[in-house]
């Protein structure tokens, strides 16, 4: 409940501090006294966007602070999810700076306007002419039906399943779109992959082929140099092998004359063995090497294929080509498996849809089951409010779409008079009738769910004194389980309040101020008498006022 409200430097209000009790509070005052200003200030602390023109003194900041008792509101989860300190007595503050900037706080913690608005919607329900238009909204109408059907748990289950269904549906849609693009590239990617796979590429392959190509392409020069080397080693008269043989013989003879000669002989023997091995290897190479134009052509072809692939794929090495081959393989594999994945998702979507439809059907059945009760309650309440012939035609039909609150289409039609055709509320109900219907619906909702503080802004406009008296009774009944405010011009409604406040203007030093005060019992009599008979406070008006209060 709203326990305190403080407004500073807002419109015609320089400073206002008021405290409220639980139950029913009526707020009265002459037209133009500033009741709308009070609501405007309250709306700012509930999250409405600020207007710099609302500042009374443009050089000072506007501060609006409201204290709420929220123990029964079950808001601890909201506070925790938004990293806020929870207090049973929570203070909400809004500041509008002269610069035009706005700041908001919950228990002195800075918050965004969005969070403030979310909390405000759970603290006070301000009924205005705009909200009366909600009566024609199917979502609002279904909310009323769901309250009677106690559908909260089923709606939560439906909402969870709807999230799963939409997620699967989006995944399927994206995969089908991806398949369209992938199919266009599949053939080309498959061709590129096959080309790379047939090249049978391996790391180091290019270097080996280039070396083999160099040898095959220079066979004659290699043979010439091998022959020359072999001749230098094995020439009978001046060959290196022949000369080393003589040197080996000489060193062998010296080895018997001392250890130093023995060591020298061993070194010469080692050199001879190495040179002799080289000579044999040169001879072997000569015997092995031969011109092979066919092999040269094969090696040249393989190298050219590698160069062509590197150019096509803008690669610098075999390693890069192998990486591209791996990527192409993945793409082709994914495309090849798309059909299977799509079929699996389609099966999952059918399963999700079936489960969602089952819960939606449960919602529908529970809604249909309470329609007669809702119609009866509406008609009985409106009968009390001077609309004895008011009837409703409420029907629920299945929809092909899954909406946020089920897959029902709701037909909510109204007739105010016998013999009149049924029509949509916004088309066939007058302003006064809409106000009475909204009050009736709010009173019904109050029986089935815990509503926040309710503030009715002149909901009794356009109704007679007797009807307003009954509207006041309904608000008084609602106030037994919740805090109710009524801004009213009718004494019959104002008299029902457990407490009554008067909004009025004063002129001080050529400046107009809006004030608000709680009326004493005697002041309430005078105020109500004035509302009954104008400025002429006749004995009969005073007596009537006392009668209303009693």
């Amino acid at each position: 409940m709203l326990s305190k409200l403080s407004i500073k430097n807002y419109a015609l209000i320089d400073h206002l501090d008021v405290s409220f009790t639980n139950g029913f509070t009526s707020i009265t005052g002459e037209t133009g006294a500033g009741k709308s200003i009070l609501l405007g200030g309250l709306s700012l602390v509930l999250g409405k966007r600020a207007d710099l023109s609302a500042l009374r003194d443009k050089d000072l900041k506007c501060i609006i602070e409201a204290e709420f008792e929220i123990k029964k509101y079950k808001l601890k989860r909201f506070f925790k999810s938004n990293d806020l300190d929870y207090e049973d007595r929570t203070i909400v503050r809004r500041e509008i700076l002269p610069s035009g900037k706005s700041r908001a706080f919950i228990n002195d913690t800075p918050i965004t306007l969005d969070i403030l608005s979310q909390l405000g919607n759970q603290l006070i329900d301000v009924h205005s002419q705009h909200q009366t238009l909600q009566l024609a909204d199917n979502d609002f109408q279904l909310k009323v039906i769901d309250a009677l059907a106690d559908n909260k748990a089923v709606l939560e289950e439906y909402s969870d399943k709807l999230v799963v269904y939409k997620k699967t549906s989006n995944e399927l849609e994206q995969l089908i779109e991806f398949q369209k693009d992938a199919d266009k590239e599949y053939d080309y990617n498959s061709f590129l992959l096959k080309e790379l796979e047939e090249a049978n590429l391996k790391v180091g392959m290019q270097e080996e082929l280039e070396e083999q190509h160099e040898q095959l392409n220079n066979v004659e020069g290699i043979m010439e140099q091998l022959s020359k080397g072999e001749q230098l080693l094995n020439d009978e008269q001046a060959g290196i092998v022949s000369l080393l043989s003589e040197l080996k013989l000489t060193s062998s003879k010296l080895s018997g004359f001392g250890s130093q000669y023995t060591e020298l002989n061993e070194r010469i023997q080692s050199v001879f063995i190495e040179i002799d091995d080289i000579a044999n290897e040169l001879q072997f190479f000569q015997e092995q090497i031969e011109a092979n134009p066919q092999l040269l052509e094969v090696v040249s072809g393989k190298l050219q294929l590698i160069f062509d692939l590197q150019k096509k794929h803008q690669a610098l090495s075999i390693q890069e080509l192998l990486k591209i081959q791996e990527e192409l393989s993945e793409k082709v594999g994914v495309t090849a498996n798309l059909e299977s994945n799509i079929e699996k998702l389609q099966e999952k979507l059918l399963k999700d849809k079936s489960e969602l439809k089952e819960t939606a059907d449960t919602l529908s059945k529970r809604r249909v089951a309470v329609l007669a009760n809702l119609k009866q309650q509406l008609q009985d309440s409106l009968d009390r409010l001077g609309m004895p012939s008011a009837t409703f035609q409420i029907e629920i039909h299945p929809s092909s779409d899954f909406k946020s609150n089920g897959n029902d289409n709701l037909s909510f039609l109204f007739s105010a008079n016998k013999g009149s055709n049924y029509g949509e509320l916004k088309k066939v109900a007058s302003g006064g009738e809409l106000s009475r219907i909204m009050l009736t619906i709010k009173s019904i909702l109050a029986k089935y769910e815990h509503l926040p503080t309710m503030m009715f802004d002149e909901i009794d406009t356009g109704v007679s004194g007797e009807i307003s008296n009954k509207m006041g009774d309904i608000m008084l009944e609602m106030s037994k389980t919740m805090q109710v405010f009524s801004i009213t011009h009718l004494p019959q409604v104002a008299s029902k309040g457990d407490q009554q406040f008067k909004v009025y203007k004063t002129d001080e030093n050529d400046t107009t101020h809006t004030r608000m005060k709680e009326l004493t019992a005697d002041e309430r009599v005078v105020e109500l008498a004035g509302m009954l008979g104008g400025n002429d406070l006749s004995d009969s008006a005073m007596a009537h006022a006392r009668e209303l209060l009693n």
Side-chain angles (χ1 to χ4, degrees):
M1 60 168 275
L2 175 63
S3 54
K4 293 181 182 179
L5 179 65
S6 172
I7 301 177
K8 297 179 182 177
N9 194 37
Y10 177 75
L12 296 180
I13 300 174
D14 52 357
H15 191 180
L16 176 68
D17 280 304
V18 287
S19 297
F20 303 107
T21 61
N22 205 349
F24 185 23
T25 299
S26 58
I27 300 174
T28 58
E30 295 180 0
T31 301
K35 297 186 294 296
S36 61
I37 295 175
L38 179 68
L39 271 182
L42 183 61
S43 68
L44 287 177
V45 87
L46 297 177
K48 182 182 177 182
R49 296 205 169 273
D51 184 354
L52 189 59
S53 63
L55 270 64
R56 180 180 180 87
D57 187 332
K58 307 299 182 185
D59 297 324
L60 300 175
K61 67 181 177 180
C62 167
I63 303 175
I64 301 170
E65 190 171 277
E67 180 181 297
F68 294 90
E69 294 179 11
I70 62 171
K71 188 175 182 178
K72 298 180 180 179
Y73 282 51
K74 299 180 180 179
L75 290 171
K76 289 184 179 180
R77 181 180 293 181
F78 175 87
F79 276 72
K80 185 177 181 180
S81 64
N82 288 288
D83 197 23
L84 296 169
D85 295 328
Y86 175 85
E87 299 287 346
D88 286 342
R89 283 181 174 269
T90 283
I91 296 176
V92 181
R93 188 171 79 256
R94 184 80 180 278
E95 297 180 357
I96 306 168
L97 307 180
S99 62
K101 291 184 178 180
S102 169
R103 299 186 300 186
F105 304 85
I106 295 177
N107 294 329
D108 287 329
T109 299
I111 47 134
T112 64
L113 201 59
D114 181 56
I115 293 176
L116 179 62
S117 180
Q118 290 179 43
L119 179 62
N121 289 334
Q122 300 179 73
L123 294 177
I124 297 185
D125 182 354
V126 179
H127 170 82
S128 61
Q129 185 64 32
H130 169 71
Q131 196 190 41
T132 301
L133 299 177
Q134 282 186 328
L135 284 171
D137 180 61
N138 273 175
D139 286 343
F140 178 77
Q141 294 163 353
L142 281 171
K143 180 182 176 182
V144 178
I145 294 170
D146 286 330
L148 268 69
D150 192 22
N151 277 341
K152 184 177 180 181
V154 185
L155 279 168
E156 288 177 355
E157 180 185 348
Y158 173 85
S159 181
D160 291 341
K161 290 181 178 179
L162 182 62
V163 169
V164 174
Y165 173 75
K166 285 185 175 180
K167 183 174 181 291
T168 304
S169 180
N170 289 336
E171 287 177 359
L172 178 60
E173 186 177 333
Q174 290 172 8
L175 202 58
I176 290 173
E177 285 299 314
F178 179 76
Q179 185 188 39
K180 291 178 183 177
D181 296 331
D183 285 344
K184 297 175 185 176
E185 299 179 6
Y186 177 77
D187 292 340
Y188 181 60
N189 286 337
S190 297
F191 167 75
L192 293 177
L193 177 62
K194 184 179 180 183
E195 196 174 47
L196 286 168
E197 288 176 338
E198 288 178 347
N200 198 23
L201 301 173
K202 293 180 179 62
V203 176
M205 174 182 178
Q206 184 173 358
E207 291 77 8
E208 292 176 5
L209 287 171
E210 286 175 343
E211 182 179 312
Q212 191 177 8
H213 182 271
E214 186 69 16
Q215 292 178 7
L216 289 169
N217 202 37
N218 293 280
V219 168
E220 293 181 0
I222 293 172
M223 291 178 66
E224 181 182 343
Q225 296 305 318
L226 287 173
S227 176
K228 185 176 180 180
E230 196 271 337
Q231 187 176 358
L232 286 171
L233 288 171
N234 292 322
D235 185 79
E236 292 182 0
Q237 296 182 352
I240 293 174
V241 174
S242 177
L243 293 174
L244 275 174
S245 293
E246 293 182 18
L247 179 60
K248 184 179 72 166
L249 182 62
T250 301
S251 67
S252 179
K253 293 177 180 179
L254 282 171
S255 64
F257 297 107
S259 60
Q260 68 270 34
Y261 299 119
T262 300
E263 183 179 341
L264 179 63
N265 178 57
E266 289 174 354
R267 291 171 63 192
I268 291 173
Q269 294 292 334
S270 177
V271 170
F272 177 78
I273 292 171
E274 182 67 20
I275 291 298
D276 187 56
D277 186 62
I278 291 173
N280 291 331
E281 198 158 335
L282 281 172
Q283 188 174 2
F284 174 78
F285 285 154
Q286 283 188 85
E287 293 172 356
Q288 293 295 318
I289 194 167
E290 62 177 343
N292 192 338
Q294 293 84 4
L295 182 58
L296 176 61
E297 185 175 350
V298 170
V299 171
S300 296
K302 287 183 178 180
L303 277 174
Q304 188 59 52
L305 175 61
I306 291 173
F307 295 147
D308 291 344
L309 289 172
Q310 288 175 337
K311 183 177 180 181
K312 177 183 286 188
H313 295 283
Q314 297 182 339
L316 299 176
S317 64
I318 293 283
Q319 287 92 330
E320 289 187 25
L321 284 175
L322 287 171
K323 185 177 180 181
I324 292 169
Q325 180 179 329
E326 183 180 350
E327 291 172 353
L328 284 169
S329 179
E330 289 179 4
K331 288 182 179 179
V332 170
V334 168
T335 306
N337 293 326
L338 274 178
E339 195 65 42
S340 173
N341 293 337
I342 287 174
E343 287 179 4
K344 290 178 182 177
L345 272 179
Q346 286 173 333
E347 291 175 4
K348 186 178 185 303
L349 186 65
L350 285 174
K351 179 175 176 290
D352 293 345
K353 184 177 182 180
S354 175
E355 293 179 356
L356 183 63
K357 184 70 169 64
E358 184 180 347
T359 307
D361 288 345
T362 300
L363 271 177
S364 296
K365 290 175 184 176
R366 294 171 68 93
R367 286 167 174 170
V368 170
V370 300
L371 291 185
N373 181 19
L374 175 60
K375 287 168 59 177
Q376 194 60 52
Q377 287 197 58
L378 284 171
Q379 289 166 187
D380 288 347
S381 293
L382 291 176
D383 187 11
R384 289 175 59 193
L385 296 178
M387 297 172 64
S389 300
T391 54
F392 291 85
Q393 193 178 76
I394 309 174
E395 296 177 351
I396 286 177
H397 307 284
S399 167
S400 58
D401 299 325
F402 290 107
K403 294 172 280 192
S404 62
N405 55 0
N407 69 332
D408 289 329
N409 286 328
L410 179 65
S411 173
F412 200 100
L413 303 179
F414 171 71
S415 173
N417 303 295
K418 290 181 179 180
S420 297
N421 293 327
Y422 284 96
E424 294 179 19
L425 282 167
K426 62 182 178 182
K427 294 181 179 179
V428 299
S430 66
E433 289 169 341
L434 285 174
S435 293
R436 280 176 274 180
I437 294 170
M438 176 57 91
L439 177 61
T440 295
I441 285 178
K442 292 290 186 182
S443 67
I444 293 172
L445 280 173
K447 298 176 186 176
Y448 295 94
E449 62 177 32
H450 186 72
L451 295 179
T453 291
M454 185 71 62
M455 181 166 288
F456 293 107
D457 180 19
E458 300 185 0
I459 195 171
D460 46 27
T461 299
V463 298
S464 67
E466 180 55 31
I467 299 304
S468 66
N469 187 52
K470 293 177 179 178
M471 292 180 76
D473 285 336
I474 291 176
M475 286 184 259
L476 184 59
E477 289 172 13
M478 291 175 66
S479 72
K480 303 304 179 187
T481 56
M482 61 187 297
Q483 186 184 38
V484 177
F485 289 86
S486 178
I487 297 175
T488 180
H489 285 292
L490 298 180
Q492 292 84 354
V493 174
S495 65
K496 306 289 184 183
D498 298 309
Q499 61 175 170
Q500 181 176 345
F501 285 84
K502 180 178 181 179
V503 179
Y504 60 98
K505 286 181 181 178
T506 62
D507 292 326
E508 301 171 13
N509 300 323
D510 297 326
T511 304
T512 301
H513 301 267
T514 288
R515 309 289 190 199
M516 182 177 181
K517 62 175 291 189
E518 182 178 2
L519 300 179
T520 65
D522 290 339
E523 288 172 332
R524 290 188 72 178
V525 172
V526 174
E527 174 70 6
L528 293 175
M531 296 171 73
L532 287 163
N535 294 327
D536 181 17
L537 299 179
S538 63
D539 291 340
S540 60
M542 294 289 283
H544 190 184
R546 291 190 185 92
E547 183 182 344
L548 286 174
L549 285 171
N550 292 330

